[in-house]
């Protein structure tokens, strides 16, 4: 029986067990996926003990993503680009890691906005310069987006990201987000603004965007964020944050349990029902 888990501190809020539990039932796999609280400073020790605990691997949530990346011996390009890992597994006795957020975002984007073609979109605007923004920048550049514009409250963080990724990524002042997004093919909110329970309000008027712009929000509580609601009302194609959460889980399940699972309507409905209870 294969076992996996998610580690974090705290970890009780994680919805990953719902996702992996659904797939274990759907594919009739005799395995388990649980939540494992791990204290800051104890990540390396926990990861080293996984084989002895019978764990094939784990997901990693805050605040352990950088520590997990540092602990892994084999780092896939998605993790290297972000400097943080969310999925770990043992491969020939070696601890390997990846960061599947960017690929998860792109899979959901393809499903939600089939007309969107990264190579044809020209410019992408990203609000935010944290770990999630970094994963999206890497995914966009890998998919062929010509130019990425970054807007972040703390300008220095956007500058650092732009310097890391090179000339196709440009950093701007936060206050210029609207003015510098009139010609973009996609706008992504990768900040915590709009999040239920104190995320703060995102001041962005979607009237500034052109009619073919796709609007994505990584925030998924609430599912319909004020940004997405305004974009929908303007008739723009929208991409919510929940699909990214579902799709980023696919590679880990495949590594640990040997089946590449599908993100289905039924799974999404299960998560939506759970979000409704929060
Ligand atoms: N859907 C998914 O699967 C998924 C996956 C990962 C993350 N996310 C979501 O993506 C968002 C970012 O996550 P993260 O891991 O990148 O977090 P993070 O590293 O802590 O970054 C947070 C970002 O939000 C910005 N921010 C926070 N408060 C702000 C405010 N009042 N005004 C303007 N900007 C503000 C920060 O700007 P400063 O640099 O100025 O602080 C930073 O750019 C969160 O909402 C998270 O839930 C979703």
């Amino acid at each position: 029986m294969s076992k996996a888990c998610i580690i974090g501190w705290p970890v009780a809020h994680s919805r990953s067990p719902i996702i992996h539990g659904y797939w274990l039932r759907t594919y009739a796999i005799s395995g388990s996926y649980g939540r494992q609280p791990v204290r800051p400073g104890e990540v390396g020790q926990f990861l080293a003990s996984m084989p002895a605990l019978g764990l094939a691997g784990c997901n990693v949530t805050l605040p352990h993503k950088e520590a997990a990346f540092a602990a892994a011996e084999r780092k896939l390009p998605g993790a290297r680009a972000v400097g943080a890992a969310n999925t770990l597994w043992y491969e020939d006795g070696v601890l390997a890691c990846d960061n599947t957020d960017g690929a998860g975002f792109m899979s959901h984007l393809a499903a939600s906005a089939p007309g969107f073609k990264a190579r044809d979109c020209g410019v992408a605007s990203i609000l935010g310069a944290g770990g999630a923004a970094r994963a999206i920048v890497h995914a966009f550049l890998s998919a062929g987006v010509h130019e990425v514009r970054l807007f972040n409250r703390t300008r220095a963080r956007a500058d650092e990201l732009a310097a890391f990724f090179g000339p196709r990524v440009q950093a701007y002042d936060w206050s210029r987000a609207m003015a510098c997004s009139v010609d973009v093919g996609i706008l992504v909110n990768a900040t915590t603004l709009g999040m239920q329970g104190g995320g703060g309000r995102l001041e962005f008027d979607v009237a500034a965007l052109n009619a073919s712009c796709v609007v994505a929000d990584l925030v998924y509580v609430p599912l319909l964020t004020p940004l997405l609601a305004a974009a929908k009302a303007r008739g723009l194609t929208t991409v919510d944050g929940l699909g990214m959460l579902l799709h980023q889980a696919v590679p880990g399940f495949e590594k640990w349990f040997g089946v590449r699972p599908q993100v289905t309507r039924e799974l999404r409905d299960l998560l939506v029902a759970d979000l409704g209870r929060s």
Side-chain angles (χ1 to χ4, degrees):
M1 179 175 111
S2 282
K3 291 198 308 183
C5 68
I6 178 158
I7 65 169
W9 188 265
V11 74
H13 64 285
S14 170
R15 291 182 167 90
S16 292
I18 302 175
I19 301 172
H20 292 284
Y22 168 84
W23 285 330
L24 287 169
R25 291 193 300 281
T26 301
Y27 298 103
I29 294 170
S30 114
S32 71
Y33 183 100
R35 293 183 183 86
Q36 182 64 51
V38 172
R39 289 177 190 279
E42 295 179 2
V43 177
Q45 192 185 330
F46 177 81
L47 294 174
S49 73
M50 285 200 300
L53 295 170
L55 287 162
C58 67
N59 281 129
V60 183
T61 189
L62 299 176
H64 297 327
K65 291 183 178 187
E66 286 81 11
F69 174 76
E73 292 165 79
R74 193 170 291 161
K75 305 170 205 285
L76 269 63
R80 282 189 194 279
V82 183
N86 69 350
T87 306
L88 288 101
W89 65 95
Y90 272 91
E91 206 168 72
D92 308 323
V94 171
L95 183 62
C97 77
D98 198 1
N99 189 310
T100 62
D101 278 342
F105 175 81
M106 295 306 284
S107 297
H108 180 49
L109 175 61
S112 308
F116 176 86
K117 297 283 172 277
R119 288 185 187 282
D120 302 335
C121 98
V123 185
S125 274
I126 300 179
L127 309 179
R134 192 176 268 267
I136 306 296
V137 173
H138 174 66
F140 275 163
L141 295 181
S142 305
V145 171
H146 182 66
E147 178 189 340
V148 177
R149 294 183 189 149
L150 282 177
F151 307 90
N152 196 51
R153 177 181 58 176
T154 308
R155 171 70 192 257
R157 257 183 124 183
D159 286 337
E160 192 266 319
L161 227 65
F164 178 83
F165 283 107
R168 283 163 69 198
V169 182
Q170 297 293 325
Y172 296 83
D173 282 347
W174 175 248
S175 61
R176 296 188 65 204
M178 270 186 276
C180 295
S181 297
V182 292
D183 58 340
V184 305
I186 185 165
L187 172 94
V188 182
N189 175 36
T191 73
T192 50
L193 294 172
M195 193 150 73
Q196 186 176 293
R201 191 181 154 82
L202 173 59
E203 305 288 349
F204 189 98
D205 185 354
V206 294
L209 302 171
N210 70 53
S212 59
C213 184
V214 172
V215 177
D217 204 327
L218 304 196
V219 171
Y220 57 89
V221 184
L223 193 53
L224 185 64
T225 62
L227 175 69
L228 294 182
K232 260 186 204 293
R234 229 208 101 183
L236 303 179
T237 301
T238 59
V239 180
D240 66 43
L242 181 58
M244 174 178 168
L245 180 74
L246 300 174
H247 282 279
Q248 63 77 30
V250 168
F253 189 90
E254 186 177 17
K255 291 277 182 209
W256 310 318
F257 302 113
V259 173
R260 186 155 186 94
Q262 295 294 312
V263 172
T264 60
R265 182 82 222 180
E266 189 183 24
L267 172 59
R268 187 181 158 87
D269 289 347
L270 203 61
L271 267 287
V272 170
D274 187 70
L275 293 178
R277 284 191 283 272
S278 65

